[in-house]
Amino acid sequence: MKVLIVCLMLCVIACAAGTRAISKQSFGKTAEGEEVYLYTLKNSTGTEVAITNYGGTIVSLKVPDRAGKIEDVVLGYDDFNGYLTPKSPYFGATVGRYANRIAKAKFTLDGKEYHLAANNGPNSLHGGLKGFDKQVWSAKDYTDAKGEHLALHYLSEDGEEGYPGNLNVQVIFTLTPRSELQIEYSATTDRDTVLNLTNHSYFNLAGQGKGDILKTQITLLASRFTPVDETLIPTGELRSVAGTPFDFRKPTAIGERIDASDEQLKLGHGYDHNWVLDAPAGKLSLAARAVDPDSGRVLEVLTTQPGVQLYTGNFLDGSISGKGSKPINHRTGFCLETQHFPDSPNHPAFPTAGLKPGQHFHSTTVFRFSIDRSKQDK
Ligand code: GLA
């Protein structure tokens, strides 16, 4: 009898989750002729996410607004070829082996110096010339009581892009019935190495292509940030946000202070900085909240990581065409890249980004969507 009740409950949960709501279709072929796929995960509230196993990339994320109108809230391209655009700014991608920058494209581990590709001035950015965002991951989709899942796996071989150790990486995307997109990263290595894994989605909660993100209200649960030098490498200081345009402890529009006369904003051409989260790393906690006042769409970001990079699309300049063949203009998307601090391998005082054989790296980030009804209720 008990077994029967449990089975019935699981069935009800699965039905609420929209039963089997994953579809898989061909997305195109790489230059090497390898076929890549687009997986679409849906729940019963109308939320839908499409992810390709090329670069573990979120291609579209459709969520309802206050009136139930669905929009795609991430920047990107209509088709696979777009994702092959040279110097594409990592739209939606899974970034690694080391997301963000490593100063002068080198670091020392166990007394040995490792050299990386300098692909961002003197520094190495987002894993080098062919980072995880440009690799084909193996994929498996499945459904259970927690929601719809896409599990991606990639083996980054010893020496790839200059990093030591064979790194086995798994990223599991889960769309829950509550419109949370959970991203779980795990990794193991056979040699000492460093890693920093993130997702590089550019959000526009009004809908992609619907203007800039300057009205978006952001809250960051962080009392300090890591100021940078002129090449966007942290100086090592953990600076209080109090009294600066970096104080987002209360909801503030991105555009309110972005062009203020501030040395750090000038260096970043806007916000392109790492905030030191107040919550203890390792515990899944709220890191950021973004609200589009007009549509009422809300994005909450929870993470186990110690930092988050708020990047306000300062380098977008209309030179790249995205979905609907429309130019992607300045500051029309913002990223909340949960992460270890940039350049941690060269900053022993920062939380370690090291991984040793026998250790199991595990981190979780959740993009949770909801609706702010306060405006409507007034
Ligand atoms: C990150 C960096 C930015 C920029 C983008 C990609 O967010 O911090 O400076 O390089 O990626 O364009």
Side-chain angles (χ1 to χ4, degrees):
M1 187 60 186
K2 260 189 192 163
V3 175
L4 194 71
I5 292 172
V6 170
C7 287
L8 269 172
M9 277 167 68
L10 281 177
C11 180
V12 168
I13 293 167
C15 291
T19 331
R20 215 182 129 72
I22 304 180
S23 66
K24 175 183 174 184
Q25 66 188 87
S26 176
F27 197 41
K29 275 193 179 150
T30 65
E32 294 76 33
E34 201 172 345
E35 186 148 27
V36 295
Y37 296 91
L38 191 66
Y39 297 82
T40 306
L41 285 56
K42 293 181 192 169
N43 73 12
S44 49
T45 70
T47 300
E48 182 182 310
V49 59
I51 303 164
T52 171
N53 63 322
Y54 178 77
T57 302
I58 298 175
V59 171
S60 70
L61 218 171
K62 296 181 182 164
V63 291
D65 71 358
R66 211 182 262 130
K69 187 164 182 279
I70 309 267
E71 289 281 355
D72 182 359
V73 295
V74 292
L75 308 190
Y77 305 99
D78 285 324
D79 56 27
F80 178 58
N81 274 343
Y83 290 89
L84 303 177
T85 305
K87 303 225 160 114
S88 181
Y90 305 90
F91 291 131
T94 296
V95 180
R97 185 177 300 199
Y98 201 94
N100 217 308
R101 294 173 176 77
I102 295 188
K104 303 200 171 59
K106 61 181 183 185
F107 65 94
T108 302
L109 193 62
D110 304 328
K112 189 173 176 321
E113 193 168 272
Y114 292 93
H115 292 264
L116 312 167
N119 59 340
N120 188 248
N123 306 321
S124 187
L125 177 71
H126 292 334
L129 300 178
K130 194 172 180 191
F132 292 3
D133 60 295
K134 297 177 186 68
Q135 303 292 351
V136 178
W137 297 59
S138 59
K140 198 177 147 233
D141 61 279
Y142 57 98
T143 303
D144 63 18
K146 286 190 184 148
E148 313 297 325
H149 308 270
L150 177 67
L152 300 180
H153 173 259
Y154 177 63
L155 168 65
S156 171
E157 289 185 0
D158 184 27
E160 184 183 273
E161 286 292 333
Y163 292 94
N166 289 297
L167 189 77
N168 261 298
V169 192
Q170 182 169 263
V171 182
I172 304 179
F173 293 90
T174 302
L175 179 66
T176 74
R178 293 182 54 203
S179 293
E180 298 158 319
L181 179 62
Q182 299 182 349
I183 313 178
E184 263 184 87
Y185 303 86
S186 48
T188 53
T189 183
D190 60 0
R191 280 177 67 192
D192 282 12
T193 193
V194 294
L195 83 164
N196 194 19
L197 304 172
T198 196
N199 178 272
H200 208 298
S201 286
Y202 290 68
F203 297 99
N204 185 329
L205 297 178
Q208 66 79 30
K210 298 257 152 83
D212 66 43
I213 43 77
L214 298 176
K215 268 202 273 177
T216 306
Q217 302 261 341
I218 296 274
T219 310
L220 297 175
L221 285 86
S223 312
R224 293 171 299 168
F225 74 111
T226 51
V228 291
D229 69 11
E230 59 288 347
T231 69
L232 297 185
I233 292 292
T235 59
E237 182 190 349
L238 306 184
R239 186 179 292 173
S240 167
V241 297
T244 78
F246 291 79
D247 192 347
F248 281 96
R249 289 174 296 180
K250 295 210 181 89
T252 310
I254 290 176
E256 194 169 311
R257 302 163 300 185
I258 199 167
D259 291 320
S261 163
D262 175 274
E263 182 226 8
Q264 282 298 315
L265 284 173
K266 289 205 175 102
L267 291 171
H269 307 277
Y271 296 105
D272 192 357
H273 295 76
N274 170 66
W275 271 256
V276 178
L277 294 169
D278 289 338
K283 187 173 176 283
L284 188 67
S285 313
L286 187 68
R289 191 164 197 266
V291 182
D292 172 48
D294 294 338
S295 68
R297 289 193 188 89
V298 178
L299 163 65
E300 287 174 317
V301 180
L302 293 87
T303 191
T304 57
Q305 291 278 43
V308 66
Q309 184 95 0
L310 169 64
Y311 169 57
T312 47
N314 312 309
F315 298 120
L316 302 174
D317 60 5
S319 60
I320 288 180
S321 293
K323 293 171 184 172
S325 305
K326 287 201 226 138
I328 299 186
N329 293 323
H330 194 220
R331 296 178 177 162
T332 53
F334 65 89
C335 305
L336 287 164
E337 301 155 61
T338 55
Q339 60 181 1
H340 272 67
F341 304 172
D343 199 30
S344 294
N346 293 311
H347 288 274
F350 285 176
T352 181
L355 187 69
K356 294 181 189 308
Q359 293 180 334
H360 192 110
F361 172 84
H362 191 258
S363 80
T364 305
T365 289
V366 179
F367 296 136
R368 181 196 280 159
F369 292 93
S370 59
I371 288 158
D372 174 24
R373 300 202 180 269
S374 55
K375 205 171 167 182
Q376 193 183 39
D377 297 341
K378 267 177 204 162

